[in-house]
């Protein structure tokens, strides 16, 4: 790797990296690198320990400045989930009277998409694998996964 030299463009790349949601290619373009070479240049820049160190410093400065860290985000996501799950909005008809289900129970509305999204954020933060789109599984055995599943089903 060539000798590292700090330039204004590299400093701007580090700042833009944070501003671009940790997208190195967009950061390179915003810092003034040619769009056609941005992927290659971003990859090259991210190999320099000095760049990685500067990005870490800028992240730490931002956390200190904003007082927003992983704990804060987790606490807020939990609060949001709890609020979204509250039965606070009664469902009413056109006359303003509360609707009831077939069993006579009052019907409430809640923000299901907000609750689901906040729960997903909390789950990702604490490492719950329930929200992974793809789960990588390594089986250190000579049997196929289907054979192992069949054996497990027979043991039940």
């Amino acid at each position: 790797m060539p000798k590292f030299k700090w330039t204004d463009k590299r400093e701007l790349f580090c700042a833009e990296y944070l501003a671009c949601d940790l997208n190195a290619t967009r950061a390179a373009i915003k810092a003034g690198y040619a769009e056609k070479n941005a992927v290659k240049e971003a990859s090259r820049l991210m190999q320099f320990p000095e760049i990685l160190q500067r990005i870490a410093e800028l992240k730490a400065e931002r956390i200190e400045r904003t007082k927003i860290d992983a704990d804060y985000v987790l606490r807020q996501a939990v609060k949001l989930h709890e609020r979204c799950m509250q039965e606070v909005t009664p469902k009413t008809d056109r006359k303003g009277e509360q609707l009831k289900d077939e069993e006579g129970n009052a019907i409430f509305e809640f923000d299901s998409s907000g609750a689901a999204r906040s729960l997903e954020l909390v789950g990702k933060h604490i490492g719950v694998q329930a929200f992974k789109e793809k789960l990588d599984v390594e089986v250190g055995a000579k049997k196929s996964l289907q054979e192992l599943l069949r054996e497990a089903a027979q043991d039940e």
Side-chain angles (χ1 to χ4, degrees), residues 94-148:
R94 291 183 184 178
K95 297 176 188 173
E97 294 178 17
Q98 185 159 8
L99 297 176
K100 299 187 185 282
D101 64 13
E102 309 82 47
E103 297 172 4
N105 299 316
I107 299 175
F108 293 90
E109 291 181 318
F110 72 99
D111 182 1
S112 61
S113 63
R117 180 70 181 132
S118 59
L119 188 59
E120 180 180 358
L121 289 172
V122 171
K124 284 180 178 178
H125 180 82
I126 62 171
V128 174
Q129 299 300 314
F131 301 108
K132 261 188 119 171
E133 290 180 18
K134 177 183 171 189
L135 184 61
D136 297 323
V137 177
E138 274 189 44
V139 178
K142 294 181 181 179
K143 297 179 182 179
S144 73
L145 181 58
Q146 282 134 350
E147 290 173 316
L148 292 170

Side-chain angles (χ1 to χ4, degrees), residues 7-75:
T7 63
D8 290 342
K9 197 183 249 190
R10 287 180 174 177
E11 179 67 25
L12 184 56
F13 169 79
C14 293
E16 290 295 342
Y17 182 74
L18 293 182
C20 292
D21 295 328
L22 310 181
N23 183 311
T25 302
R26 287 192 317 207
I29 294 167
K30 287 189 160 248
Y33 292 93
E35 195 167 335
K36 68 178 184 171
N37 298 325
V39 171
K40 183 179 174 183
E41 192 62 33
S43 177
R44 188 177 74 78
L45 287 169
M46 294 301 285
Q47 299 302 310
F48 287 112
E50 296 88 347
I51 293 285
L52 299 176
Q53 177 62 37
R54 182 63 180 139
I55 289 170
E57 290 168 3
L58 291 171
K59 281 182 183 179
E61 289 172 11
R62 181 177 64 182
I63 288 170
E64 182 62 33
R65 186 176 61 252
T66 62
K67 304 292 186 213
I68 297 175
D69 59 8
D71 287 341
Y72 173 85
V73 172
L74 180 58
R75 283 191 309 273

Side-chain angles (χ1 to χ4, degrees), residues 148-156:
L148 292 170
L149 289 172
R150 251 185 261 118
E151 287 176 8
Q154 291 173 354
D155 290 340
E156 290 179 352

